[in-house]
Structures are given as structure tokens and as C-alpha cells.
Amino acid sequence: LTQTVFGAMPSIPLNNAADPSLRMPIVGLGTFGYAPYGGDPENWNDATAYNASLLWASVGGTRWDSAYGYKSKQGVANAILEITGNYTKIPRSQIFITQKVGGDNGNALGYDNVMGQFQGLLKMFNTDYFDLLLIHWPSCTAPTSQSSDPTCKQNDKRTYDPSVCRQHTWKALEDIFTNGSAKAIGVSNFERKHLEDIIALNSLLPAIDQFEFHGYWHEYELVEYCQNLNITFNSYAPLGAPDVEANGFHNWPYVLPQNPIAMTIGKKYSKSGAQVWLRWQYQQGIVLNPRTLNIDHMKENMDIFDFEL
């Protein structure tokens, strides 16, 4: 890998709770995988993520989206450390790593709980900071979740208060940001009502809201609400997810990249249907986390900046 190839992706600055010097590459690699709808929703393991990450870096990718709740996180870490020579061949500053804590796969919310998750991730990735740290989910209803914060104990109706729980969790991210262990902080899967809990603190606003957004699932009102607050909208599953794809819960007739309308538009620009969908989101001011194990698709996902819909 060379620095000429590495880091060629266009990037944007972030607002609100973000270091002014930080720039986020428009396209990153999503590392959570889906099995067919109704099956195990996580089919990316460490080996899958490791191999995909090496391919992503080989085509110039520099941004990874990971999470404490992903079974793939160790594989992502191993690949990044190998690619960078433990940040000696390629400086840590040229890699953008998003991490998420709390609320997923039974991982507890609450100040102390997410602090513990965060420290474990720093050690795993052998770094003293993450570029972007998100609260993964606004609440956690999994019975295995055990928070030390009474307001986050969803099984105890006497003390459970999801709004206060979110606020306590956000305070942990604020402290992480203030001490420099995250260059930016934000949220994931937060609807407007969840964001209002953060706004009510009259403190730092999120830099990012990461949310599912694609041609079959698009909450335009949430995008507008975020953008009015200078919160950058970051789409995961930008090319669709099994629960809203062909043979999934909604039984749409086409997977998004093969949607005839997108493919017809793509022919006009010598682009694929997938590239049309990614460009459609980019032109709405959305940054993207497409997921793929295919190096040709990775190249396509990065090649969306030379045409306009």
C-alpha cells in the first residue's frame, strides 16, 4: 500500500461534538453482516471481517465501521493493525475508525458500562482514540443486558427511565470526547424522540446519527431534522438489508442494485445500479457504510464521485 492510493477518498468535516480538524471519508466499510431474513443476523465473523478489511485497504479504503456488539470486531482490528504495521507504516491519523458501544446484542447502556466497553475496544485496536464513537442503540431490551445504572435496568420498572439512561450514556461519550479519546461522538438508530433527550441536556450535540437508509427504507423527516441541527446523517445498509429486500419481510421484488429503474439510470452514466443508489444518498448529504466481501463491488462503491443525478 502507498500513501498515494491510501486516502484518496473524498471526505467531509463534522460539526457539533467533533474535532474541527477531523475529516470523515464519505464511503466506509460496514462490517456487520446479515444472513437470510429469519436466520442469524450476524454472519460476519473475525475471519470474514479480516479478509474483507484487507481487500478494502487494497483498493484505498481508509474508513471502517465497527462496534462492540459485532462478532467481527477482532478481525477488523487484526486487519487494521496488519495493514498499518501497528501504525508504523501507515500513521494512525490516516485511518478512520468508527466504534459503537451500548444497546446491541445485550450490551448494557449506562455511564460505567459503556466506559468499560470503550476501554476494551481501545485495547483491542491498540489505539488511544477512535475517530468516531457512537451510542449503538437508544435502548436495550435484551434480557441479558445488565447495567449498573438503575435507570438502564429495563427489567426493573421502579427505576427504569430510558430517557435518563440515554442521557447518562451520552455523558460518558461527552467525557470521552473531552479527554481526547474520541475525535467525534454521536449516536446510531436514534429517532427524533431519542435525539430530543440529548438536546434536553443543553450540552454537546451529536456529530453523527447513523441510521438505516436506502431506497426501500428512507426516513426523510429524520434526515432533515438532523441536518437542521448540523448532525451529519450516516447510512448503514445503504444498498438494502434482508428484512426489506427480496424474499424478506416486505418481499420487495428486486434487491436494490438490481432494481430496473436504478439499472436504467446507471446505463446513462455507465454506472451500476448500486452506484446510482449510493450517489442518490450522497447527493442528499449522507455519508455511506456499504457492506461487501467483493473487491469489485468495493471499487464500485468508491467510484461515485464523477457523475451527478
Side-chain angles (χ1 to χ4, degrees), residues 165-195:
C165 175
R166 280 187 280 276
Q167 292 175 335
H168 289 176
T169 305
W170 181 248
K171 183 62 169 64
L173 267 66
E174 286 188 324
D175 288 349
I176 289 168
F177 173 68
T178 300
N179 72 24
S181 296
K183 299 293 185 182
I185 54 174
V187 295
S188 178
N189 300 296
F190 272 50
E191 299 277 7
R192 177 171 178 162
K193 65 180 181 180
H194 305 130
L195 289 165

Side-chain angles (χ1 to χ4, degrees), residues 54-70:
L54 294 183
L55 293 178
W56 178 239
S58 75
V59 299
T62 60
R63 178 164 72 82
W64 281 261
D65 185 85
S66 181
Y68 185 83
Y70 290 179

Side-chain angles (χ1 to χ4, degrees), residues 32 42 67-71 100-109 117 136-137 139-140 142 144 189:
F32 176 85
E42 173 58 276
Y68 185 83
Y70 290 179
K71 296 178 182 177
K100 298 182 282 291
V101 290
D104 182 63
N105 289 346
N107 298 310
L109 294 167
Q117 295 165 29
H136 201 160
W137 288 90
S139 60
C140 182
T144 55
N189 300 296

